Amino acid sequence: MNKEEFLNKLRANTTQQFDMPDMNINGIKYEDTVAQFISMTETSGGKVVNAKKDDDLNAIIRAAYPDAKVIASNVSGIDASLNPDTVAEAQDLNGTDVGVVNGEVGVAENACVWVPQTMKEKSVCFISENLVIILHKSCIVDNMHNAYKAIRMTDYGFGCFISGPSKTADIEQSLVMGAQAARSVTIILID
Amino acid sequence: MSTIHSKNAEIFNKDRAKTTWHDQTFWALREKHDNMAKQLPEWEELRSHASDIKRHTITHLADYLEKFSANLESRGVIVHWAADASEFNETVLDILKSHNVSKMVKSKSMLTEECEMNPYLEKHGIDVVETDLGERILQLLHQKPSHIVVPASHLKREEVGRMFEKEGISKEIGNYDPTYLTRCARYSLRKEFMDAGAGMTGCNFGVADTGDVVVCTNEGNADMSTSMPKLHIVAMGIEKLVPDYDSLAVFHRLLCRCGTGQPTTSFTSHFRQARPGAEMHLVIVDNGRSDMIADKEHWQTLKCIRCGACMNTCPVYRRSGGYSYTYFIPGPIGVNLGMFHDPQKHCENLSACSLCLSCDNVCPAEVAPGSQIYLWRQSLEALGKANKMKKIMSLGMSALFNNPPLYNAALKFAPLANMVPDSFTNLGHLNPWGVGHSNPEFAKKSFRSLWREGLK
């Protein structure tokens, strides 16, 4: 069906119209937004490592994943053997032990972290066995209303709110971490 | 007088232990929903906003669809318009054929179930691999979802484990640990992601203002499906649109809290265009939805965001199971959607409701599925589907209640019924109301006569 016919039928069948409501919603606020974010991250199965502004991130990643052999990242200053900007195909990132990416907004109410695509192959965010997200404390907001006001999309046209590791409860409602994407998520929270 | 639903429910209830387990599984989800709701003082404010936003969007859908599709097209996404299921299936097949795709990985989408896309594509030589673990289990067992959010929730771990052994997905015979089985599935699906030619996702929300296709999963399978293959196809029903990010925030906060009782899904992905070197297609599907808009009594059913909360709380769903309904979406919302799809075929599901209206009270978009079922029941007569025995009984009751002397006389003689032995009235094949019920005992004196005596 062509678009015009499709929309014409819709218009013909719409006999009444309603206005948008006033969108000033009183979203929840927390006394300590950072503490709430950390607590929710742990509830969602993620880990949080606190870091000072000048801490050595590579040392923190090595301490969190001492057995990691293949690290993939395009974040400047991160020691990585694979770079999602320069691999030929998304599939080349399979076998990555730790992927390291930047997060831009953290949400206290549900531990979501906005990870916009800033690399050629976004598969690094999902195919890695473990994911490290670097986030600044000052970027944590109370709730999703504030988060959707704060996020920005890059030219790649993809972004994802990630909250903890990939999980499933599809087998008899037993919660299992690590379904198809990262089995563990560590947030490095920078002061 | 038994409906197809009640007959199927009877079969489901033969295994009482499993029925109890099923009931408890979903009641636990309902309790998790309540805990989530209690943590947000603005919960009811969110629900009424969700309802109002959807009411507005659905009654301005053509404008929003134009905006949405134009936004996506401006970034190179190819947009298709499908009037019905067969147009949708043909469009998807055309896209796949023109890219020489023989295998597609697919993230869960109830729209593709509605259009019966998998069997169609498979008939045309395309290997479709479900990547949501629950859906994958069902695909390998040749079963359909029994719930829209937790599709394989009716299965026990042993049933999954034995099938994985048979399919060669798990190697340790007799190991039915969910963590072990999930790992096996992860390993098996990894291989499918690596060499599939296309990835398909549904669409939880389409944002008109920005042209975002938003997909929510816990497993990250939508992301794996779209990060590896060079072709991404989105299947989207027209009712999924929301105007902007402010509206999306409201639905994001409600969807998962209502569905599984989590504060959010692990992944909320926003797709605006194809990734470098790839191609993205969006198929916008009507398939009866525009007819729903014209239905003055029931158009608000389109506000539904498919969270599944109505099923979890429904005492009938919990005790009769997803397969007892004739429509592929079970529970209160499925009863309503089935009536839109084919009222003659699915009207027997209308009996699968006790009108407790628990669903009305939890629905995040205030669709009021239970109240809608009540309205649908009033149309049974027009459909020629009203139950004959109930009609005769209604006529009898109407004669009785409209004639006070007759009614009083009946009351006076009612205690005589106490003398009829139970065995006379509990003949199941003659009196279906007798099944599972004992006779009521009539009081020797009616309230009316006691009251009149009191007046003296």
Side-chain angles (χ1 to χ4, degrees):
Chain A
M1 198 178 214
N2 72 42
K3 177 178 154 189
E4 287 316 309
E5 287 174 74
F6 193 105
L7 296 178
N8 286 343
K9 186 183 177 200
L10 258 179
R11 288 202 167 95
N13 282 358
T14 307
T15 51
Q16 51 186 338
Q17 291 196 307
F18 295 88
D19 292 336
M20 261 299 266
D22 163 27
M23 288 297 286
N24 285 316
I25 293 164
N26 209 0
I28 193 164
K29 289 186 177 60
Y30 300 94
E31 265 179 41
D32 186 338
T33 309
V34 173
Q36 170 72 15
F37 174 80
I38 293 171
S39 146
M40 286 311 292
T41 302
E42 283 159 1
T43 306
S44 72
K47 280 176 267 193
V48 176
V49 179
N50 285 296
K52 296 267 177 299
K53 206 173 121 222
D54 299 319
D55 279 357
D56 178 2
L57 296 184
N58 289 310
I60 292 173
I61 294 165
R62 268 195 305 278
Y65 298 102
D67 301 327
K69 290 187 182 68
V70 182
I71 295 180
S73 184
N74 72 343
V75 177
S76 68
I78 299 297
D79 299 335
S81 47
L82 280 173
N83 186 332
D85 282 335
T86 56
V87 289
E89 299 290 343
Q91 283 82 349
D92 297 342
L93 291 162
N94 196 23
T96 297
D97 296 309
V98 181
V100 185
V101 298
N102 278 318
E104 293 200 342
V105 180
V107 191
E109 70 161 308
N110 57 15
C112 276
V113 181
W114 176 247
V115 179
Q117 185 175 356
T118 52
M119 63 293 285
K120 178 172 87 72
E121 296 302 344
K122 66 183 163 78
S123 66
V124 67
C125 306
F126 311 107
I127 205 170
S128 308
E129 292 291 310
N130 307 283
L131 184 66
V132 171
I133 306 176
I134 302 164
L135 180 71
H136 288 268
K137 264 185 191 166
S138 59
C139 300
I140 296 175
V141 299
D142 283 297
N143 55 52
M144 288 310 296
H145 306 294
N146 299 342
Y148 271 114
K149 284 185 170 60
I151 63 170
R152 55 173 195 87
M153 193 68 91
T154 61
D155 288 342
Y156 282 109
F158 175 84
C160 186
F161 279 109
I162 300 179
S163 171
S166 160
K167 52 181 87 74
T168 181
D170 275 343
I171 299 178
E172 232 185 80
Q173 288 75 51
S174 296
L175 183 64
V176 178
M177 297 296 169
Q180 320 313 338
R183 293 192 288 137
S184 86
V185 169
T186 300
I187 313 282
I188 301 181
L189 205 51
I190 301 178
D191 259 337
Chain B
M1 69 161 258
S2 293
T3 59
I4 297 171
H5 175 270
S6 68
K7 284 174 190 154
N8 291 341
E10 204 177 327
I11 297 167
F12 181 77
N13 271 273
K14 279 193 176 135
D15 186 346
R16 291 313 284 259
K18 201 166 174 182
T19 309
T20 304
W21 169 72
H22 189 269
D23 178 29
Q24 287 166 347
T25 296
F26 288 99
W27 186 248
L29 285 179
R30 163 68 207 258
E31 284 179 322
K32 282 188 182 174
H33 154 280
D34 291 357
N35 286 336
M36 283 292 137
K38 268 183 253 165
Q39 284 168 31
L40 294 181
E42 68 271 34
W43 185 255
E44 290 304 321
E45 196 187 347
L46 285 175
R47 286 182 68 212
S48 66
H49 267 87
S51 172
D52 291 349
I53 296 165
K54 276 284 178 186
R55 213 166 60 140
H56 164 78
T57 317
I58 287 158
T59 58
H60 294 77
L61 209 44
D63 298 340
Y64 281 123
L65 278 171
E66 261 188 326
K67 199 178 191 182
F68 177 66
S69 59
N71 268 322
L72 284 157
E73 279 168 339
S74 75
R75 292 186 295 264
V77 176
I78 301 154
V79 180
H80 310 259
W81 305 81
D84 54 28
S86 58
E87 265 193 35
F88 167 73
N89 290 338
E90 285 158 19
T91 304
V92 174
L93 182 64
D94 281 349
I95 301 168
L96 294 173
K97 282 211 158 151
S98 65
H99 288 76
N100 293 317
V101 172
S102 57
K103 176 156 87 181
M104 176 163 82
V105 280
K106 176 172 161 263
S107 174
K108 186 161 144 254
S109 150
M110 291 314 284
L111 177 60
T112 61
E113 295 280 347
E114 177 184 321
C115 296
E116 297 177 340
M117 182 198 77
N118 285 15
Y120 175 85
L121 292 181
E122 279 153 13
K123 201 176 74 195
H124 288 86
I126 311 279
D127 182 12
V128 182
V129 180
E130 295 288 349
T131 61
D132 171 87
L133 177 57
E135 287 279 334
R136 181 65 178 154
I137 290 167
L138 293 176
Q139 183 178 39
L140 293 169
L141 283 170
H142 307 288
Q143 289 187 13
K144 293 199 177 300
S146 67
H147 188 282
I148 61 172
V149 176
V150 280
S153 50
H154 59 290
L155 296 172
K156 303 290 281 186
R157 64 185 69 186
E158 293 79 9
E159 296 171 87
V160 177
R162 278 193 290 270
M163 181 272 288
F164 274 16
E165 285 167 7
K166 203 175 119 228
E167 296 288 333
I169 292 170
S170 71
K171 302 281 187 283
E172 288 176 30
I173 306 301
N175 187 346
Y176 302 140
D177 172 54
T179 303
Y180 169 73
L181 295 174
T182 302
R183 287 281 176 280
C184 293
R186 175 187 174 90
Y187 180 72
S188 155
L189 280 169
R190 239 340 128 93
K191 292 185 206 153
E192 308 286 0
F193 288 124
M194 293 301 282
D195 63 359
M200 172 174 262
T201 66
C203 170
N204 289 95
F205 305 106
V207 187
D209 244 15
T210 53
D212 287 25
V213 168
V214 182
V215 183
C216 310
T217 75
N218 272 319
E219 297 182 11
N221 54 316
D223 297 293
M224 289 296 282
S225 301
T226 53
S227 294
M228 319 294 283
K230 287 278 168 74
L231 176 63
H232 175 192
I233 305 174
V234 182
M236 174 185 170
I238 53 173
E239 81 283 14
K240 297 291 184 183
L241 272 188
V242 298
D244 49 27
Y245 270 3
D246 282 347
S247 323
L248 180 61
V250 172
F251 292 102
H252 181 280
R253 300 186 77 198
L254 287 167
L255 179 69
C256 200
R257 285 184 170 99
C258 285
T260 60
Q262 296 167 261
T264 180
T265 48
S266 300
F267 302 90
T268 306
S269 304
H270 292 237
F271 301 93
R272 278 190 194 177
Q273 68 188 56
R275 63 197 174 84
E279 204 172 292
M280 180 172 165
H281 291 253
L282 168 73
V283 192
I284 299 175
V285 185
D286 181 342
N287 204 31
R289 287 161 178 74
S290 60
D291 297 325
M292 288 165 82
I293 289 171
D295 185 321
K296 286 194 169 55
E297 267 188 345
H298 295 287
W299 68 272
Q300 298 210 36
T301 306
L302 280 169
K303 295 191 297 186
C304 171
I305 58 170
R306 305 289 194 272
C307 70
C310 60
M311 295 163 206
N312 302 345
T313 199
C314 177
V316 179
Y317 171 84
R318 284 188 275 116
R319 290 175 181 81
S320 61
Y323 295 148
S324 62
Y325 301 78
T326 64
Y327 194 56
F328 79 105
I329 296 180
I333 193 65
V335 174
N336 283 288
L337 293 168
M339 286 304 287
F340 273 116
H341 193 71
D342 187 344
Q344 288 289 338
K345 194 171 163 193
H346 299 300
C347 65
E348 297 204 18
N349 294 330
L350 290 174
S351 74
C353 172
S354 65
L355 293 181
C356 74
L357 304 192
S358 181
C359 51
D360 284 19
N361 288 306
V362 296
C363 175
E366 297 180 348
V367 169
S371 300
Q372 296 283 319
I373 290 173
Y374 172 78
L375 290 176
W376 278 118
R377 283 186 184 172
Q378 314 311 309
S379 65
L380 280 172
E381 177 72 32
L383 284 169
K385 291 282 187 179
N387 183 286
K388 287 190 183 69
M389 194 190 275
K390 282 184 186 170
K391 270 169 75 176
I392 294 165
M393 289 200 54
S394 296
L395 284 173
M397 283 194 274
S398 161
L400 187 68
F401 296 139
N402 284 322
N403 187 339
L406 184 64
Y407 177 71
N408 288 330
L411 271 187
K412 200 172 162 192
F413 293 112
L416 287 175
N418 293 340
M419 298 200 272
V420 180
D422 252 13
S423 54
F424 271 52
T425 54
N426 271 355
L427 299 169
H429 55 290
L430 287 178
N431 175 21
W433 280 281
V435 178
H437 300 106
S438 57
N439 261 348
E441 192 178 328
F442 291 95
K444 288 206 176 72
K445 277 188 179 173
S446 68
F447 171 77
R448 184 186 149 85
S449 51
L450 287 172
W451 181 56
R452 287 181 73 100
E453 281 170 25
L455 283 179
K456 281 175 190 164

